[in-house]
Structure formats: C-alpha cells, structure tokens
Amino acid sequence: MAFWIYKIMKNKIIIYGDLHGCLDEFKLLRAKVNPTQDDKEIIIGDILDRGLYSNELLKYVREHNISSILGNHEYKYLRYKKHFDIYNKTKKEIPIKLDDEQKKIFDNLSSEDFDYLESLPFFIKIDNLTLLHAGITNNINLETAKKKDLEKILWIRTLNENQKILSLYDDNTTSKLWSEYYDGNQGTIIYGHNVFDKIKIDKYSIGIDTGCIYGNKLTALIISNTINPMQNYKIIEQKANKVYSINIY
C-alpha cells in the first residue's frame, strides 16, 4: 500500500462514494455516469461490509478495472488476514475481531481479491486534487507521512478547538468536522467515511458519502479540471433500493 500521484489528467475523474456492498445501486449509478474508456473511475473506499453483496461487488470492481482508495473496512480485512496467517503458523490469538457476517465475507475473498486490496493506496493526488477516505489534519503532509499518520486518514472525523483528533465516542461539544479546520495545504480533498444527507462542500473539500447503505443515495462526483476542482464538477446520484444497515458507524 502506497500512494499514486498523477500530473495533468486531461480526462474526467469519476469518484464514487462509499459503496458498502451496494452492488445494484453501483451498477445503476455507473449506467447514469456512462464512463468512457478514457475516464478514470475511483472509489473513495469502503467497498466492503454492511450491504448484501460485498464479495460480488469487489469482484465486479476488479473485473471492470475500477480503482479505489483504501478504506478503513478494507484495511480491517487486510490486518485480519495478516494475523490469520500468523495464527495458522503459531496459534496466537487474532487481535482483530470480525462479526459473523464479516467472517463470511473474509472466507469468500479470493487470492485475486486480496491482491487487489493490497494494491489500494492510502491516498491519490492528481494535480491539485487529493482523494482520501476519511480525513486529515493540517500538520499531516501526505507525501512524507509515516504509516501511523497514513492510518489516521482512514479514521479521522472530528477535531477539537486545538485540532486534536477526537475518538468516535468523544462528546466534546466544541468539536468540528476536520474539513472545517482544513486550510487547503494538501489541495482540494474529496473524501468519504463521514455520512451526509447530501454532499458536504467546504472551502477546500467535498464529502461524498451520502449513505446509500442507510437508505439514502449513492453519489458520483465527476471532475474535469484537476487544477481547480472546486470550480468544475458534476454530481450524479442513485437512490438506494432499501435500508441495508441501521448502524451508522
């Protein structure tokens, strides 16, 4: 796992919000988007978990040569596999916990699936456009960040007034979403992980996880200008077929 950097992409960049096993909606959304062979399709992470078709969706993504950012859910399976392989040799306890549904998903991941997951970058930078899964703080430089900071960008949601990262269950009343503190030093950031009713637009970022898994919609953000991404983009949406999960986190 590393990162990708492109310079001056002349074709459209199509970015999909968190999929979470929503294969049917993803197919419908792609039909609306109608990508060409010259377009670059990228998922913002979290292909797996909570929906009905995680394994089938991952296979579909691979077969259609669709790229993705590493999401925290993919990272969990990779960490579990690492410890699972160690367990098979040493019988040491696996510290990563999967629920029954996740174990079914894990058991049905092929070697090709794991190869794909292992290839996913923590972030992608294209000119002034940066794609990452969750969030960032202003003191993280992505291109020089150590692994512990790259892992943080899979999870970050809120910060306190000193821009300290808060845990999911921290009830700090002064907390704000990281994007409201972000000063643009890593370019315009497109992200997922944080669920919104509609895309969240801040000065230097756009959040595109619109909660398909919770019965809302799946969003694609189409960018044709990677030098000034905030000035030229298009949104295409697909309504969820049903509510698949009520666990918001």
Side-chain angles (χ1 to χ4, degrees):
M1 289 169 286
F3 58 86
W4 303 344
I5 297 179
Y6 298 89
K7 293 294 183 182
I8 314 299
M9 292 287 288
K10 295 182 179 180
N11 303 312
K12 295 194 299 294
I13 311 297
I14 302 165
I15 310 164
Y16 300 106
D18 302 37
L19 300 182
H20 282 302
C22 295
L23 176 59
D24 293 337
E25 289 87 347
F26 186 46
K27 287 181 177 179
L28 291 169
L29 181 58
R30 285 192 78 226
K32 290 181 179 179
V33 171
N34 192 25
T36 70
Q37 290 185 342
D38 294 328
D39 295 332
K40 184 67 178 176
E41 295 180 89
I42 306 172
I43 301 162
I44 209 67
D46 283 1
I47 299 168
L48 303 174
D49 283 353
R50 296 183 178 155
L52 298 178
Y53 304 111
S54 287
N55 295 97
E56 295 87 348
L57 175 55
L58 182 55
K59 182 179 179 182
Y60 176 87
V61 167
R62 287 196 297 100
E63 290 178 344
H64 287 78
N65 297 314
I66 301 170
S67 300
S68 180
I69 296 292
L70 182 68
N72 59 295
H73 284 260
E74 286 76 47
Y75 198 47
K76 184 172 187 177
Y77 284 94
L78 290 173
R79 291 168 63 218
Y80 186 87
K81 185 174 189 304
K82 178 181 178 181
H83 288 286
F84 182 82
D85 292 341
I86 293 172
Y87 171 81
N88 285 337
K89 296 177 181 177
T90 66
K91 301 304 178 184
K92 290 184 178 180
E93 183 179 358
I94 300 175
I96 311 301
K97 303 301 180 185
L98 301 182
D99 61 29
D100 290 343
E101 187 59 36
Q102 289 173 328
K103 287 178 181 177
K104 290 179 184 178
I105 293 170
F106 178 82
D107 289 342
N108 284 286
L109 291 172
S110 67
S111 59
E112 291 82 7
D113 290 332
F114 277 112
D115 287 344
Y116 178 85
L117 296 179
E118 288 281 3
S119 75
L120 301 184
F122 283 97
F123 67 92
I124 294 175
K125 296 191 82 169
I126 309 168
D127 302 323
N128 195 44
L129 176 68
T130 299
L131 313 183
L132 54 80
H133 178 61
I136 197 170
T137 61
N138 287 325
N139 63 357
I140 295 177
N141 184 323
L142 290 170
E143 294 180 39
T144 60
K146 297 186 182 301
K147 187 178 179 181
K148 65 177 182 179
D149 281 330
L150 292 177
E151 289 176 332
K152 290 176 184 177
I153 71 174
L154 302 178
W155 304 94
I156 292 173
R157 293 183 190 273
T158 56
L159 309 176
N160 67 12
E161 65 273 17
N162 298 315
Q163 298 192 42
K164 179 183 176 181
I165 300 169
L166 300 176
S167 68
L168 177 60
Y169 301 105
D170 195 314
D171 59 357
N172 188 313
T173 57
T174 65
S175 67
K176 293 182 181 180
L177 192 69
W178 68 270
S179 62
E180 297 177 30
Y181 287 109
Y182 176 57
D183 64 11
N185 71 84
Q186 297 296 301
T188 296
I189 292 180
I190 311 302
Y191 65 99
H193 190 63
N194 301 275
V195 181
F196 307 109
D197 289 336
K198 59 182 181 179
I199 67 166
K200 177 172 172 55
I201 303 172
D202 289 298
K203 187 174 182 180
Y204 301 110
S205 65
I206 304 177
I208 63 169
D209 181 2
T210 46
C212 183
I213 195 67
Y214 307 116
N216 193 29
K217 56 194 173 186
L218 186 61
T219 294
L221 186 72
I222 303 175
I223 292 180
S224 54
N225 183 342
T226 56
I227 303 298
N228 297 298
M230 300 291 284
Q231 295 181 9
N232 196 346
Y233 62 83
K234 180 179 180 181
I235 302 165
I236 297 181
E237 300 171 334
Q238 174 59 46
K239 183 74 176 68
N241 292 337
K242 59 182 290 187
V243 175
Y244 298 95
S245 175
I246 58 172
N247 178 11
I248 194 66
Y249 298 119

